[in-house]
């Protein structure tokens, strides 16, 4: 990304570190997260216009506390320390950090003073704190520019050196006007020109892929999910018929999803897309299996076997495409090559496909950026904004053993749920919503007859990234319509329940 101005975000292990990068990119400035143990040479190689130190769980007093070289402050670019990053900055430059007498956590009243960092921000405000240690004495030449009742040095600066630090978290929504504070750092202090745009990224990636691939043959596993769909579309735009995609239909997708994949990508875009109907194989191998992890392993193995058998028909390929995205890279270890995702549709492919090199066109993008890229590439919104879907598909939304009949039940119930949520205009508000076929039967009455049929559980959550989630407060009349339609239109279901558990303590999926 050397074609763009870059902000380096140095990772000290905080829970909001990826969020900082996303907040910066959302303001049209490219940012990358790098490890705290990165060398000064690596930091310089990015030619950054600014550096942000993240928060983190450590104390600067700890024996193995993460740190950076003091040379960072001599690069002539602005630095912003956040939470632990603030404490570390003070500690390295001769200030004093103490264990706070009163730990601050959550929403706090804060008073801002005049500073380029807080330009246009209301002086009396609210911020989000999460710290045990705090700065008690500033390094020489620094001044306090914000305080709370229990944290007298809630922010400080040295304008001449371009060093700023805040004890709170401007990247979270709980800090009012936090985006303005980050904007001030990026544009007023780092002098960013806002040159990170998805439309530019499309052209750059297509050009880069063409240069790399040349006349080579490219292979992609198309799962129907957003990441593989966008990656395949970008490669198709770049190399056309030199790309072959293989779509394994394991029969565990949502209702009409396999048909939609073929319609959009093969018929609509003219992509060289091979569909392999492997429903009977997956169903046979899953027969009688109830344990969720065993289901996953069977599906993963079968997928690789089916894909590799089809790939061998093509002979040797030069490149294998993977839809690796930035969070995958980060989770696999900063500063290292991305580990191949242990996801059923990519995990073992490199070992069974004869290829020279992997292409990962999305590896610098977050999920929301992948969606923006998909729209830039001309993909339909219904494909780009598709909800997260588990790798093993409906196998983990059917509690207990898998049968053809059960798959049809959960597909039909899920289809009704999604259709009514869209009709109610709630599909943009709810992060994920789906039906689960529980393993429970219960007594019911339909007409004049007693029934003993399945219970469908509806799950709908609001979330930002799936790490935490709250149950969605769907209006009762909408839930009533959904319930009525399911019990009337889906065979073998006589009861519908709504899951009102957050994550934690529950997970979003049931298995």
């Amino acid at each position: 990304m050397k074609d763009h101005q870059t902000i380096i975000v140095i990772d000290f292990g905080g829970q909001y570190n990826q969020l900082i990068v996303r907040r910066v990119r959302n303001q049209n400035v490219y940012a990358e997260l790098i490890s705290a143990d990165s060398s000064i040479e690596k930091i310089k190689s990015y030619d950054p216009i600014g550096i942000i130190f993240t928060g983190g769980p450590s104390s600067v007093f700890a024996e193995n506390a993460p740190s950076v070289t003091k040379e960072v402050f001599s690069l002539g670019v602005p630095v912003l320390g956040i939470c632990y990053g603030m404490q570390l900055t003070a500690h390295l430059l001769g200030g004093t950090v103490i264990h706070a007498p009163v730990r601050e956590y959550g929403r706090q009243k804060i008073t801002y003073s005049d500073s380029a960092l807080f330009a246009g921000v209301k002086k009396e405000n609210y911020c989000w704190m999460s710290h045990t240690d705090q700065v008690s004495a500033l390094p020489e030449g620094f001044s306090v520019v914000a305080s709370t009742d229990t944290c007298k040095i809630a922010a400080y600066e040295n304008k001449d050196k371009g060093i700023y630090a805040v004890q709170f978290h401007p990247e979270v929504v709980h800090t009012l006007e936090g985006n303005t504070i980050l904007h001030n750092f990026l544009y007023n202090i780092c002098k960013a020109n806002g040159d990170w745009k998805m439309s530019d990224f499309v052209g750059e990636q297509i050009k880069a892929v063409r240069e790399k691939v040349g006349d080579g043959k490219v292979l992609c596993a198309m799962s129907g999910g957003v990441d593989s769909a966008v990656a395949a579309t970008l490669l198709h735009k770049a190399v056309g018929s030199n790309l072959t995609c293989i779509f394994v239909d394991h029969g565990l997708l949502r209702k009409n999803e396999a048909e939609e994949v073929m319609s959009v990508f093969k018929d609509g875009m003219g992509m060289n897309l091979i569909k392999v109907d492997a429903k009977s194989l997956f169903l046979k191998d899953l027969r009688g299996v109830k344990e969720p992890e065993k289901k996953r392993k069977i599906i993963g193995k079968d997928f690789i076997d089916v894909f590799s058998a089809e790939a061998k028909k093509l002979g040797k390929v030069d490149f294998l495409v993977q839809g690796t995205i930035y969070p995958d890279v980060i989770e696999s270890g900063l500063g290292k090559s991305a580990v191949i995702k242990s996801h059923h549709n990519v995990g073992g492919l490199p070992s069974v496909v004869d290829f020279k090199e992997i292409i990962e066109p999305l590896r610098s993008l977050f999920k929301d950026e992948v969606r923006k890229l998909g729209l830039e590439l001309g993909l339909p919104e219904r494909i780009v904004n598709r909800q997260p879907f588990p790798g093993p598909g409906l196998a983990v939304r059917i509690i207990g053993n898998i049968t053809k009949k059960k798959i049809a039940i959960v597909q039909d119930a899920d289809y009704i749920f999604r259709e009514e949520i869209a009709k109610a205009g709630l599909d943009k508000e709810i992060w994920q919503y789906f039906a689960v076929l529980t393993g429970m039967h219960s007594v019911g009455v339909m007409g004049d007859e007693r029934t003993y049929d399945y219970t469908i559980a509806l799950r709908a959550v609001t979330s930002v990234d799936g790490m935490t989630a709250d149950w969605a407060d769907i209006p009762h009349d909408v839930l009533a319509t959904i319930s009525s339609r399911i019990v009337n239109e889906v065979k073998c279901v006589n009861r519908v329940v709504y899951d009102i558990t957050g994550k934690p303590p529950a997970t979003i999926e049931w298995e």
Side-chain angles (χ1 to χ4, degrees), residues 120-172:
V121 176
K122 286 174 60 178
K123 300 304 178 189
E124 301 297 323
N125 221 313
Y126 286 91
C127 68
W128 186 262
M129 290 281 195
S130 179
H131 66 102
T132 302
D133 293 352
Q134 65 185 39
V135 177
S136 62
L138 294 175
E140 187 177 344
F142 286 75
S143 57
V144 179
V145 288
S147 60
T148 70
D149 288 343
T150 53
C151 183
K152 297 306 177 187
I153 306 177
Y156 62 77
E157 69 175 23
N158 184 317
K159 186 177 179 181
D160 293 337
K161 292 184 177 180
I163 300 174
Y164 298 79
V166 294
Q167 183 57 67
F168 56 91
H169 289 274
E171 70 275 17
V172 302

Side-chain angles (χ1 to χ4, degrees), residues 216-358:
K217 291 170 64 177
V218 185
L219 179 63
C220 177
M222 173 79 82
S223 70
V226 175
D227 299 339
S228 70
V230 174
T233 303
L234 192 148
L235 263 294
H236 178 66
K237 296 272 187 186
V239 302
S241 60
N242 282 10
L243 169 71
T244 300
C245 294
I246 297 174
F247 172 48
V248 178
D249 181 6
H250 49 41
L252 297 162
L253 298 171
R254 288 167 283 210
K255 187 173 182 176
N256 300 331
E257 197 161 37
E259 293 77 8
E260 186 175 38
V261 168
M262 298 305 292
S263 172
V264 169
F265 297 99
K266 186 177 180 65
D267 302 336
M269 294 176 53
M271 192 178 287
N272 186 12
L273 175 58
I274 299 168
K275 179 185 175 184
V276 185
D277 187 344
K279 293 192 283 289
S280 58
L281 170 68
F282 281 82
L283 200 58
K284 176 178 69 73
D285 288 351
L286 287 168
R287 188 174 295 135
V289 178
K290 297 181 179 180
E291 206 273 312
E293 202 53 38
K294 198 176 256 190
K295 291 180 190 176
R296 288 186 176 90
K297 287 177 180 175
I298 289 169
I299 292 168
K301 179 183 181 302
D302 281 357
F303 185 96
I304 289 169
D305 289 347
V306 172
F307 183 91
S308 61
E310 197 64 36
K312 282 173 184 172
K313 297 176 186 178
L314 303 174
K316 183 177 174 61
V317 297
D318 300 291
F319 302 93
L320 178 67
V321 180
Q322 290 195 170
T324 310
I325 64 175
Y326 198 43
D328 303 321
V329 177
I330 292 170
E331 287 164 12
S332 69
L334 287 170
K336 304 170 187 174
S337 299
V339 172
I340 304 304
K341 293 189 289 184
S342 58
H343 188 271
H344 85 274
N345 66 349
V346 293
L349 299 189
S351 65
V352 297
V353 177
D354 187 10
F355 73 103
K356 291 194 303 189
E357 192 175 343
I358 289 176

Side-chain angles (χ1 to χ4, degrees), residues 164-209:
Y164 298 79
V166 294
Q167 183 57 67
F168 56 91
H169 289 274
E171 70 275 17
V172 302
V173 295
H174 312 288
T175 294
L176 301 187
E177 301 185 270
N179 272 333
T180 302
I181 294 169
L182 288 174
H183 185 277
N184 287 337
F185 179 71
L186 298 173
Y187 287 90
N188 296 352
I189 296 168
C190 297
K191 306 301 180 186
N193 60 22
D195 62 1
W196 169 243
K197 295 181 177 64
M198 192 52 69
S199 55
D200 295 336
F201 180 85
V202 172
E204 291 165 6
Q205 283 297 305
I206 288 175
K207 180 183 176 185
V209 167

